[in-house]
Amino acid sequence: MTLGRIALARIPATRGTIHRLFSTTLSSSSTNRTSPPLSRHMSMKSDNLVSKLTSSGLLKTQGLIDGKWVDAHDGDTIKVLNPATGEVVANVPCMGQSETNDAISSAYDAFRSWSKLTASERSQRLRKWYDLLISHKEELGQLITLEQGKPLKEAMGEVIYGASFIEFYAEEAKRVYGDIIPSTLGDRRLFVLKQPVGVVGAITPWNFPLAMITRKVGPALACGCTVIVKPSELTPLTALAAAELALQAGIPPGVLNVVMGKASDIGDALLASPEVRKITFTGSTAVGKKLMAGAAGTVKRLSLELGGNAPCIVFDDADLDVAVKGSLAAKFRNSGQTCVCANRIIVQEGIYDKFADAFSKAVQSMQVGDGFSEGVMQGPLINEAAVQKVESFVEDAIFKGAKVLLGGKRHSLGMTFYEPTVISDVTEAMLLSREEVFGPVAPLLRFKTEEEAILMANNTKAGLAAYIFTNNVQRSWRVTEALEYGLVGVNEGLISTEVAPFGGLKQSGLGREGSKYGMDEYLEMKYVCLGDMNRK
């Protein structure tokens, strides 16, 4: 099966750290939303940063297989670009089926010894990895901003968030419990073992190049699995740096492997191999469906975190300031490029005009620019295709009668920068309502009754995240229970955390990541019947 281009995906931020960073950046922004023009000074700054990261040993430009840094067998490479400037940050191997098969063999061999370590031994090495991620958070944050474009403070927040999964699962490694079952026969004893699934293929997106890896690799390694990570070809450098720190932490060769390049070839190799027992993927629903079909051949376990179309419902009785602040955070984090971003802001008619005015003023204060510039709250979109998608959605809305209150066009900075945008009078017939825009565009829809809001919110194939703003406790319970979503934020726009389960309903995926429940995705349950207990 050909998977096509495995790309365009997502994920969250911590409620604590990133909420503080987001709020601080917003409050310190001036009404001038444009940072200084990108210039040769920026180019020199990037060059100096690349040189510094290379000297630190964290700018790796080879794949990792069996503990060795390797090139593609044919020597082919791909360019990693800085989306803010278009400059080449590095060249990395363009790997495919052959290199992936090598990584699978390495992971399969390493599984025998890694799975036999005690939980305490695995825990200690994961804890060391966490410590190294935190001690190098500045360099990792710089790498994220270089290759992904998000503001540096936000990138640093992702490092802390991503590292939190390694810390959490270092602790959970020691809490994999079995069970004793009372037997119906006196001469038998029944019990349940939990054992690691085996080799895992982890396919991760570009929008959170560290956190989407640690959220998968953390529980996998804690359970005793080994992993082949396929990061996005757009943002492989953060993955490689994290892998280097894993080696320094004592994670043995072959336990964590990283291959990148030809997405379809790598994906097909992972799907075809009977030695790979599980696929975990964050990305588009279309690719997720292809992975489901491809996994059927060897009946692999699957975890899928797929597309979203998050509603953000603002009721008349909501606190206006809380609703504006929460909606802003839910919509514009990472320039709107997350699967849990508020894709539709559905506002009750009694507060609609006040909310639209206050929200537009808040958005207008957002400073746009290169992620390394002071005070910047929104960076570039990941590439030209992303900008063109946003443009097509906005054009569709305008054609069908929507009104642009703010923005609605490319930013004067050029490249892939797009103005933070607010659009009113959006209807369910528009692309902005039906599909995930994955950009800095906030569509405002109007509703009359609670029942209408619930129907509008659930009128989608997606079911990942939803948000509601109300001061009515009874309503908050009613609406939360009626929403067909895996995550619901009530009077809060930043809801992701390592201690809670993350995942969706309907076509937003299968399984859960994070929390104690995330461990179950990497464990098999084995029932054992021990007979002849009364024999002498």
Side-chain angles (χ1 to χ4, degrees), residues 343-503:
N343 201 58
R344 299 166 291 157
I345 302 178
I346 305 171
V347 187
Q348 198 161 15
E349 58 183 4
I351 200 175
Y352 186 93
D353 291 336
K354 288 183 179 179
F355 178 87
D357 181 63
F359 185 74
S360 297
K361 288 179 179 177
V363 173
Q364 192 169 21
S365 72
M366 293 171 58
Q367 185 172 324
V368 179
D370 185 281
F372 291 107
S373 299
E374 186 67 29
V376 164
M377 191 175 178
Q378 180 181 300
L381 299 187
I382 189 64
N383 57 21
E384 177 63 23
V387 180
Q388 291 180 7
K389 178 182 179 181
V390 170
E391 286 182 321
S392 69
F393 277 42
V394 171
E395 289 170 2
D396 172 81
I398 294 172
F399 178 76
K400 293 176 180 177
K403 299 176 182 177
V404 176
L405 299 182
L406 189 71
K409 61 182 183 297
R410 291 178 184 246
H411 200 280
S412 59
L413 288 172
M415 297 302 299
T416 58
F417 291 94
Y418 195 88
E419 292 189 2
T421 297
V422 181
I423 300 182
S424 68
D425 298 332
V426 174
T427 70
E428 292 184 277
M430 300 173 186
L431 286 174
L432 284 173
S433 292
R434 302 201 315 268
E435 299 180 24
E436 196 173 31
V437 64
F438 232 62
V441 179
L444 306 184
L445 292 82
R446 193 186 304 261
F447 74 93
K448 293 182 178 181
T449 67
E450 180 180 308
E451 293 75 15
E452 183 186 5
I454 293 169
L455 287 174
M456 291 172 68
N458 289 337
N459 185 25
T460 174
K461 295 177 181 179
L464 186 55
Y467 309 89
I468 65 173
F469 291 89
T470 178
N471 281 333
N472 186 312
V473 175
Q474 291 82 5
R475 169 176 282 159
S476 68
W477 277 108
R478 286 195 307 270
V479 176
T480 295
E481 292 177 357
L483 288 172
E484 299 169 352
Y485 292 85
L487 301 85
V488 180
V490 180
N491 295 326
E492 179 56 68
L494 294 171
I495 60 177
S496 300
T497 169
E498 73 278 9
V499 301
F502 186 101

Side-chain angles (χ1 to χ4, degrees), residues 38 42 81-87 145-149 369-372 379-382 413-417:
L38 303 177
M42 191 66 239
L81 303 179
N82 179 342
T85 64
E87 298 169 332
T145 298
L146 270 177
E147 65 177 350
Q148 198 275 334
D370 185 281
F372 291 107
L381 299 187
I382 189 64
L413 288 172
M415 297 302 299
T416 58
F417 291 94

Side-chain angles (χ1 to χ4, degrees), residues 94 128 138-139 168 198 243 250 289 302 371 415 454 514:
C94 184
K128 178 62 175 175
E138 182 176 350
E139 295 99 323
F168 181 83
K289 290 178 179 179
L302 282 172
M415 297 302 299
I454 293 169

Side-chain angles (χ1 to χ4, degrees), residues 222-350:
C223 290
C225 299
T226 54
V227 185
I228 301 104
V229 174
K230 187 271 167 198
S232 168
E233 64 273 20
L234 301 175
T235 57
L237 302 178
T238 306
L240 296 171
E244 165 63 21
L245 294 176
L247 290 176
Q248 293 180 23
I251 304 295
V255 172
L256 177 60
N257 306 271
V258 183
V259 294
M260 73 228 78
K262 301 169 186 172
S264 60
D265 290 352
I266 294 171
D268 288 345
L270 292 172
L271 289 172
S273 173
E275 294 178 345
V276 177
R277 296 305 310 137
K278 177 182 173 67
I279 297 291
T280 174
F281 169 71
T282 295
S284 71
T285 300
V287 172
K289 290 178 179 179
K290 292 182 178 181
L291 288 169
M292 286 186 73
T298 51
V299 195
K300 299 187 194 302
R301 292 272 297 271
L302 282 172
S303 295
L304 302 174
E305 195 264 282
L306 307 177
N309 186 1
C312 178
I313 306 173
V314 181
F315 287 97
D316 284 346
D317 58 18
D319 182 304
L320 183 61
D321 291 338
V322 171
V324 168
K325 184 178 179 181
S327 300
L328 193 72
K331 173 67 254 184
F332 288 100
R333 185 173 69 254
N334 200 14
S335 300
Q337 300 174 116
T338 89
C339 55
V340 294
C341 274
N343 201 58
R344 299 166 291 157
I345 302 178
I346 305 171
V347 187
Q348 198 161 15
E349 58 183 4

Side-chain angles (χ1 to χ4, degrees), residues 158-169:
E158 182 187 339
V159 176
I160 296 170
Y161 174 65
S164 71
F165 286 98
I166 303 302
E167 179 187 36
F168 181 83
Y169 286 111

